[in-house]
């Protein structure tokens, strides 16, 4: 049973690393950003509400996000554990989560701002299956087309320069205080997420989780 959190600025690679780490521990990868994007694609009530905030690079209100996560982690497929990616993002969300579950470990993915900017600006996502690429770091075999399902690749509205700036500022203001919050609880582990080889970052994340 593992209940984990990935914290780190946008572009640190939380989603990519989580996709490699979760199968190793047979736990669910729960990304609030992916859940919102899925809801936006399906144009559900949740999706419509979230879109107002997401496209501008703002946070979706806590009352919406907290309920979404609590419901998701209470499902049967999370009995063996889960890794939260993109949640909590505020101290209030962390406190709400603490009321329901005990978190085993929080992994902080650290990377300097120039690495984050380079990763965010080149990020492309498959419209169909959600797989993440990078124009230089992880290019698809054929430009603009997903290797797996041949879906069209697109750039997230919030990965455009103005929204990126806003999101990184928001991270410093709202999310970075969580580092101290979890450090005080004695469950925080840091890893270097700027290493050029994805495998090295994944290995360090696995070690940090097992430590
Ligand atoms: P991400 O894919 O994690 O970068 O999330 C994309 C966007 O979804 C964020 O910029 C927020 O607008 C929204 N979002 C994701 N997770 C949260 C959260 N925990 N709290 C509030 N908004 C969130």
């Amino acid at each position: 049973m593992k209940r984990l959190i990935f914290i780190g600025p946008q572009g640190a690679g939380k989603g990519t690393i989580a996709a490699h780490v979760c199968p190793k521990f047979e736990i669910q990868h729960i990304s609030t950003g992916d859940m919102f994007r899925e809801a936006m694609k399906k144009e559900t009530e949740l999706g419509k509400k979230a879109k107002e905030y997401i496209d501008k690079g703002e946070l979706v209100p806590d009352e919406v996000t907290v309920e979404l996560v609590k419901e998701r982690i209470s499902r049967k497929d999370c009995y063996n554990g889960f890794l939260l990616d993109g949640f909590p993002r505020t101290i209030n969300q962390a406190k709400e989560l603490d009321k329901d579950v005990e978190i085993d470990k929080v992994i902080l993915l650290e990377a300097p701002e120039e690495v984050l900017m380079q990763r965010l600006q080149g990020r492309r996502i498959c419209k169909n299956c959600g797989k993440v690429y990078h124009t230089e770091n992880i290019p698809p075999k054929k430009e603009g087309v997903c290797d797996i399902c041949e879906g069209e690749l697109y750039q997230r509205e919030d990965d455009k320069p103005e929204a990126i700036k806003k999101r990184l500022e928001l991270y410093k203001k709202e999310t970075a205080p969580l580092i101290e919050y979890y450090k005080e609880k004695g469950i925080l582990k840091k890893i270097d997420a700027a290493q050029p080889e994805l495998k090295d970052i994944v290995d360090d994340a696995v070690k940090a989780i097992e430590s």
Side-chain angles (χ1 to χ4, degrees), residues 32-33 37 54 58-60 65 86-87 89 93 156 167:
T32 39
R37 277 184 291 279
I54 292 181
E58 292 170 7
L59 291 183
V60 177
T65 315
F87 183 95
R89 252 181 165 91
Q93 289 180 4
R156 280 168 49 172
R167 287 162 65 216

Side-chain angles (χ1 to χ4, degrees), residues 10-11 14 31-34 36-37 50 53-62 65-66 69 85-90 93 120 123 156 158-159 167 170:
Q10 293 79 358
K14 297 186 294 294
S31 154
T32 39
D34 284 351
F36 287 135
R37 277 184 291 279
Y53 301 92
I54 292 181
D55 283 353
K56 286 188 277 185
E58 292 170 7
L59 291 183
V60 177
D62 282 357
T65 315
V66 168
V69 173
D85 155 12
F87 183 95
R89 252 181 165 91
T90 62
Q93 289 180 4
L120 291 170
R123 177 155 70 180
R156 280 168 49 172
D158 59 351
D159 276 346
R167 287 162 65 216
L170 208 58

Side-chain angles (χ1 to χ4, degrees), residues 23-178:
K24 286 188 201 290
F25 294 101
E26 295 180 359
I27 57 175
Q28 291 296 314
H29 174 197
I30 297 175
S31 154
T32 39
D34 284 351
M35 288 163 85
F36 287 135
R37 277 184 291 279
E38 187 64 26
M40 291 193 319
K41 193 166 98 183
K42 290 187 182 147
E43 297 183 354
T44 62
E45 278 311 306
L46 172 72
K48 284 181 209 159
K49 205 183 284 176
K51 189 171 168 49
E52 290 172 38
Y53 301 92
I54 292 181
D55 283 353
K56 286 188 277 185
E58 292 170 7
L59 291 183
V60 177
D62 282 357
E63 59 270 23
V64 178
T65 315
V66 168
E67 280 320 303
L68 183 75
V69 173
K70 285 191 174 184
E71 189 280 325
R72 180 66 190 86
I73 61 178
S74 69
R75 286 195 219 157
K76 224 176 174 174
D77 64 355
C78 287
Y79 283 6
N80 195 39
F82 53 79
L83 190 163
L84 297 177
D85 155 12
F87 183 95
R89 252 181 165 91
T90 62
I91 292 279
N92 181 49
Q93 289 180 4
K95 288 186 174 160
E96 284 295 326
L97 186 66
D98 282 347
K99 287 183 192 165
D100 278 32
V101 288
E102 199 175 320
I103 296 298
D104 301 305
K105 215 150 269 174
V106 178
I107 312 297
L108 171 63
L109 282 76
E110 292 184 309
E113 198 148 318
E114 58 273 20
V115 172
L116 305 175
M117 293 300 283
Q118 192 269 353
R119 287 182 181 167
L120 291 170
Q121 282 170 356
R123 177 155 70 180
R124 297 291 182 274
I125 301 179
C126 174
K127 248 184 193 161
N128 187 40
C129 72
K131 184 169 163 48
V132 181
Y133 295 86
H134 188 281
T135 48
E136 288 161 38
N137 309 354
I138 321 169
K141 289 195 185 90
K142 189 172 160 200
E143 200 187 321
V145 180
C146 179
D147 291 347
I148 296 171
C149 71
E150 297 195 334
E152 184 192 337
L153 305 188
Y154 77 103
Q155 181 175 34
R156 280 168 49 172
E157 212 39 61
D158 59 351
D159 276 346
K160 296 188 177 159
E162 262 321 292
I164 290 183
K165 243 177 89 198
K166 206 162 168 184
R167 287 162 65 216
L168 289 174
E169 275 162 22
L170 208 58
Y171 173 81
K172 282 183 203 152
K173 185 166 165 268
E174 299 281 355
T175 311
L178 289 174

